[in-house]
Structure formats: C-alpha cells, structure tokens
Amino acid sequence: MNHLDDNKHSVFLLKYRLILTTMQRRAVIDGEISRRLKEFFITNADSYNVSLEEWDAHEDHIYIRFRAHPNSELKKFLNAYKSASSRLIKKEHPEIVEQLWEGMFWSKSFYMVTEGQSMAGDEAAYLEKQKERVIRKRNRRGRRQEVS
C-alpha cells in the first residue's frame, strides 16, 4: 500500500513518471553524469515540493518516478531542472560539449504522465517516436547538404 502525503488541509498521493531525452538522442549520459543529474534533481526538488522515488539512466535518456504536492509547479520545476542541469553538466564535463547537437544537452520535449495512467507500451512508443524524429531530421539535413 502506498504511503499517503498530507499537509494542513488535505491528503493526497500524486506520483508521476517522467522521461527526459538528450537533444537528438545523443549518447552522452554515463555513470558519472547520471549520478550528478540525480544529485541535482534531489537537491532542487525540495524547492518545488517534489521527491524522487526512482531513477534510471540510459545513455540518451533518463527515466524518473517522483512524487509531488498539489501546489507543485511541475512545468517550472522541469524547466529549471533542465536548464540548470544542462549548464552544470557542460561545465563539469566540457569534453561532451562537442558530442551535443548545437551545444544543447536536453531535448525540448519530455514525457510525463501520472503513474496510474502510465503503461510500459506508452513509454516505449514515446522513446521510439523520438528516435524516428531524430532520424528524419538527420536525413533532411543530409539531403540539404547534398543539394548545396
């Protein structure tokens, strides 16, 4: 059974699943970068009434399960996390900057659902769709360069 969260006037359980992908699905997340991204998430989560439940990193995306309060401003938290963690990682690991697409660490898009709505197939479909977009963009750029 899930432990319920509460505050002065309410009882709630708000769990989310989140996937953040690197820009153009660049394979730049290793163990050390994952550790720093996770540390940074935990450090900044309190300011937004968010708490980490699960962290799983892959070379081109991270999967996060977290809890939030009704007053959590999730969009603000995500924007702050993505921009600040990107700056932090590029500062601490300048060697990866040349591997990034136009110097950008995170993709602008993300996948987030409440835990009750999430299904493994949906997450896999999202990741596949992101990969297909990257391939299409790369192919279009390649054709434009051939024409020039």
Side-chain angles (χ1 to χ4, degrees):
M1 182 169 161
N2 285 310
H3 164 72
L4 297 174
D5 295 318
D6 58 41
N7 58 24
K8 221 175 191 182
H9 303 287
S10 57
V11 176
F12 49 88
L13 180 61
L14 301 173
K15 289 187 173 188
Y16 296 87
R17 291 176 185 236
L18 171 67
I19 298 174
L20 299 176
T21 59
T22 58
M23 183 60 97
Q24 294 289 311
R25 300 294 296 270
R26 299 299 167 111
V28 294
I29 301 174
D30 61 16
E32 173 60 21
I33 290 174
S34 170
R35 185 186 66 71
R36 288 298 285 140
L37 290 170
K38 181 179 178 181
E39 250 175 36
F40 196 73
F41 187 96
I42 292 168
T43 300
N44 293 285
D46 279 348
S47 303
Y48 293 89
N49 289 319
V50 170
S51 61
L52 180 67
E53 294 245 313
E54 181 182 343
W55 181 274
D56 188 21
H58 301 265
E59 61 186 14
D60 63 355
H61 68 279
I62 57 174
Y63 168 83
I64 304 165
R65 283 183 56 234
F66 67 94
R67 292 169 89 124
H69 284 237
N71 64 348
S72 298
E73 295 184 79
L74 296 181
K75 182 69 173 162
K76 282 186 179 181
F77 171 66
L78 289 176
N79 285 340
Y81 174 75
K82 286 170 66 175
S83 62
S85 66
S86 175
R87 284 191 304 274
L88 174 80
I89 294 300
K90 289 186 286 188
K91 180 180 177 186
E92 291 182 359
H93 298 275
E95 71 279 4
I96 71 161
V97 173
E98 62 193 36
Q99 298 173 49
L100 299 174
W101 187 77
E102 295 186 1
M104 298 196 305
F105 190 84
W106 295 117
S107 170
K108 292 178 185 174
S109 63
F110 61 88
Y111 171 91
M112 184 168 63
V113 295
T114 57
E115 191 165 88
Q117 296 172 340
S118 177
M119 300 171 82
D122 291 342
E123 292 165 0
Y126 172 78
L127 289 170
E128 186 59 34
K129 186 175 179 182
Q130 288 295 309
K131 194 175 286 188
E132 289 170 7
R133 283 184 184 165
V134 168
I135 291 168
R136 281 196 307 273
K137 283 182 181 178
R138 286 180 184 163
N139 288 341
R140 281 196 302 265
R141 275 199 306 274
R143 275 183 262 154
R144 275 186 265 155
Q145 289 173 353
E146 289 173 10
V147 173
S148 299

